Amino acid sequence: MAVEGTTERVLRLLALLPRRPSWTAAQLAAELGVTDRSVRRDVERLRAVGYPVHAVAGVGGGYRLGAGTRLPPLLLDDEEAIATAVSLRFAAGGTVAGAGEAGLRALAKLDQVMPPRLRAEVRAVQGATETLVGPGAEIDPDVLVTLARACRDAVRVRFGYAGRDGERRERTVEPVRMVTTGRRWYLMARDVDRDEWRTFRLDRMLAVTPTTWRFRPREHPDPVAYVQRAVTQAPYRHLARVRVRARPEELRGLVPPQVGRVEDDRDGWCVLVVGGDDLEWLAAHVARLDLPAEVLEPPELREAAARLARRLSTLAGADGAGALSSDVSPPGP
């Protein structure tokens, strides 16, 4: 039999095995239209490439596909491929810890080999589906896949980028890694024209196109730390440093990584680094933590906190009489 025929038969055997708990050699031979001896040879071929096909002797025995020590190549039919791709697309944009990045890598591999007709069905399912999630920037899954491939293959990417001023500029970058904060996706890459490391929000990218230019990966900062520093500092007019009496892990549980950075200190204190365009907003944000705190910088933050305190005192009334209590209802309309 030709090699092509043998390969096709082995793949058919692989598709058959999971459909029943156990198959006899005669049952498999009848399904495949071959002899029992051919079945035994094909089983050995599967074992050679890592599929754990177990043989059980006796009445009720036969061949069954078991779990091995490593993951062999998987064979999916059309329905399984569509279901897997749809699940991976939603996982890539979801909030399940660890699922996003792994799902994105798997989606990039699957999308690369999926026939166009199946890819169109996956997009149709996604286009007809809404998810009930918190507010966040929507990202085209095709952009995620394109950038994931570019990171994996070390290929330069071109795209239009809408800056904070709204002006669009063309960028060519060497992508390293994507980082998600849960609400937004960021790309850490080397900007070729500026020859420096930059972060780019994926929701501001337009017409993302991979080039044919491969680059040699170079030493780079830690992507997570770099993106966190960029999103908590660079976009804002003011950068505050506040000592807070709390354990670092306690404070990190109160302050999302896209809002502020927590630095270890000593003696039960840590330092919160947080940016903002309004100092009184920063003061209110720190006050809401309900933890002892001390402003390190800027000194203007202390003045903003004092102004905010005076306004809150006026709102509550000098002796607190203006505040609403649990047994006093607000006036009606």
Side-chain angles (χ1 to χ4, degrees):
M1 180 178 290
V3 173
E4 292 81 6
T6 302
T7 301
E8 181 181 356
R9 190 181 68 242
V10 171
L11 291 176
R12 287 177 57 204
L13 172 61
L14 180 58
L16 285 172
L17 285 171
R19 296 183 183 179
R20 292 185 186 177
S22 180
W23 291 81
T24 65
Q27 289 172 332
L28 290 172
E31 289 283 344
L32 298 172
V34 296
T35 63
D36 292 10
R37 184 178 182 184
S38 293
V39 169
R40 288 192 291 270
R41 287 177 178 172
D42 291 344
V43 166
E44 289 304 318
R45 291 186 177 101
L46 287 177
R47 288 170 175 165
V49 294
Y51 289 96
V53 183
H54 303 306
V56 180
V59 177
Y63 293 108
R64 63 181 177 84
L65 191 61
T69 56
R70 63 187 179 92
L71 184 66
L74 298 178
L75 182 67
L76 304 176
D77 60 27
D78 286 3
E79 291 183 355
E80 293 167 340
I82 292 172
T84 301
V86 169
S87 300
L88 289 173
R89 282 178 180 264
F90 286 120
T95 57
V96 179
E101 185 177 346
L104 196 56
R105 291 198 305 268
L107 178 58
K109 295 176 182 178
L110 184 59
D111 193 76
Q112 187 170 3
V113 299
M114 185 175 286
R117 59 184 175 81
L118 296 185
R119 193 178 295 118
E121 291 193 35
V122 170
R123 288 177 181 150
V125 172
Q126 187 189 18
T129 306
E130 297 291 342
T131 55
L132 189 62
V133 296
E138 291 187 2
I139 306 299
D140 185 343
D142 290 337
V143 171
L144 291 174
V145 172
T146 297
L147 293 175
R149 288 178 181 169
C151 291
R152 180 195 64 192
D153 300 335
V155 172
R156 285 183 178 178
V157 175
R158 291 194 185 97
F159 53 85
Y161 193 70
R164 289 172 61 84
D165 57 4
E167 184 177 347
R168 170 175 170 168
R169 300 175 179 86
E170 294 298 318
R171 301 294 184 93
T172 301
V173 304
E174 295 177 350
V176 173
R177 185 71 59 84
M178 283 182 288
V179 177
T180 178
T181 65
R183 293 183 64 250
R184 291 194 177 99
W185 284 81
Y186 296 86
L187 174 70
M188 176 185 160
R190 189 182 75 87
D191 191 311
V192 174
D193 297 326
R194 294 165 176 78
D195 192 22
E196 61 184 7
W197 297 109
R198 300 291 295 269
T199 60
F200 302 92
R201 277 176 46 174
L202 268 63
D203 57 301
R204 291 181 177 172
M205 292 183 179
L206 305 167
V208 180
T209 306
T211 70
T212 57
W213 182 285
R214 292 183 178 270
F215 62 89
R216 183 186 298 276
R218 61 181 71 192
E219 252 187 75
H220 58 76
D222 175 71
V224 173
Y226 189 86
V227 169
Q228 186 186 26
R229 183 177 297 272
V231 301
T232 57
Q233 295 184 21
Y236 303 110
R237 291 174 54 200
H238 306 287
L239 181 66
R241 293 174 58 85
V242 181
R243 286 189 79 216
V244 181
R245 181 178 283 280
R247 298 185 308 276
E249 59 272 19
E250 178 186 1
L251 191 55
R252 290 189 181 103
L254 297 172
V255 181
Q258 69 269 23
V259 173
R261 189 176 77 254
V262 178
E263 299 177 350
D264 293 351
D265 197 3
R266 62 185 185 279
D267 302 328
W269 291 76
C270 51
V271 175
L272 172 64
V273 182
V274 59
D277 292 328
D278 184 277
L279 286 172
E280 291 189 12
W281 178 91
L282 286 174
H285 178 73
V286 174
R288 288 180 60 190
L289 296 175
D290 197 22
L291 294 168
E294 172 193 353
V295 174
L296 299 179
E297 57 181 351
E300 293 81 7
L301 181 57
R302 298 190 189 94
E303 300 170 7
R307 290 194 302 271
L308 179 62
R310 287 194 294 269
R311 285 209 300 274
L312 290 175
S313 178
T314 301
L315 179 63
D319 57 358
L324 294 175
S325 63
S326 58
D327 60 345
V328 179
S329 301

